[in-house]
Amino acid sequence: SKRSSHVHAIRKVFHKQLMELWRAHPVLNKRPEFTKTHFEVEGFTFLPIATNANGLICKLDLLMLRGGDPGKALSDIDNRLKTLFDALKMPKGAQELGEGTSDGKQVPDATEKPFYVLLEDDSLITHVAVISDGLLESVPDIPPDEAVRFILDVTIRPYGVTMDSLDFV
């Protein structure tokens, strides 16, 4: 579906932010052997922070800004959150990379090797809190009923503390 191309476009925005985080964050920079688990998917090399193997889990506190008065928002919350969760994780295959859409299956460009994502899988999200409020500024080239801005506060922590995951406590 066209949705997979949209999700990957959002994933690409997060990739740029996460690439900078990997470079600048003292824990990620200091412990590459623990966090740098690569996953090869359809020509991409994905590098998630939280994986099943490293035992890290994710807490999300979200501010969701969208058009419309409180209680009369122009867009539904559940589909927006599903799109966000899908964009935070690595895709599982070609269909999640746009295969079968008019855009075609996405391939990595030179700045996407590796491709940084937050999560191996969205099942690693163990807590979500959402505040929804009005979007007071239009989003360029997006109809008001489709425009959403998210501000994310992400906490990564170990499910069980080990010597390898102590830096994430």
Side-chain angles (χ1 to χ4, degrees), residues 68-81:
D69 294 332
K72 297 182 173 84
L74 300 174
S75 63
D76 65 343
I77 198 170
D78 55 338
N79 285 329
R80 300 296 175 156
L81 292 176

Side-chain angles (χ1 to χ4, degrees), residues 22 25 27-28 31-37 47-59 117-127 154-169:
W22 277 89
H25 195 278
V27 172
L28 294 173
R31 300 294 303 272
E33 75 285 353
F34 177 66
T35 52
K36 285 197 173 182
T37 302
L47 189 57
I49 295 173
T51 69
N52 289 306
N54 67 23
L56 297 178
I57 56 177
C58 179
K59 171 186 172 191
V117 291
L118 184 63
L119 308 164
E120 175 185 359
D121 189 80
D122 59 4
S123 65
L124 296 169
I125 300 170
T126 59
H127 170 95
V154 177
T155 303
I156 299 290
R157 67 177 184 82
Y159 179 70
V161 179
T162 65
M163 288 304 290
D164 287 336
S165 65
L166 198 55
D167 286 334
F168 291 93
V169 176

Side-chain angles (χ1 to χ4, degrees), residues 6 8 26 40 51 62 95 108 118 122 142 154:
H6 176 66
H8 192 67
E40 302 294 329
T51 69
L62 309 170
Q95 288 193 316
L118 184 63
D122 59 4
I142 305 293
V154 177

Side-chain angles (χ1 to χ4, degrees), residues 47-138:
L47 189 57
I49 295 173
T51 69
N52 289 306
N54 67 23
L56 297 178
I57 56 177
C58 179
K59 171 186 172 191
L60 295 174
D61 290 295
L62 309 170
L63 173 59
M64 178 179 174
L65 303 174
R66 58 194 178 143
D69 294 332
K72 297 182 173 84
L74 300 174
S75 63
D76 65 343
I77 198 170
D78 55 338
N79 285 329
R80 300 296 175 156
L81 292 176
K82 176 66 176 142
T83 298
L84 176 68
F85 296 167
D86 286 348
L88 290 172
K89 71 172 186 74
M90 54 183 245
K92 294 196 185 320
Q95 288 193 316
E96 290 185 33
L97 288 165
E99 184 176 80
T101 67
S102 59
D103 296 335
K105 186 182 89 142
Q106 300 296 302
V107 296
D109 66 29
T111 66
E112 298 172 343
K113 297 176 183 179
F115 195 107
Y116 295 89
V117 291
L118 184 63
L119 308 164
E120 175 185 359
D121 189 80
D122 59 4
S123 65
L124 296 169
I125 300 170
T126 59
H127 170 95
V128 177
V130 181
I131 296 173
S132 178
D133 209 340
L135 179 63
L136 302 177
E137 181 180 15
S138 64

Side-chain angles (χ1 to χ4, degrees), residues 36-47:
K36 285 197 173 182
T37 302
H38 294 76
F39 295 87
E40 302 294 329
V41 179
E42 297 293 326
F44 283 86
T45 300
F46 288 98
L47 189 57

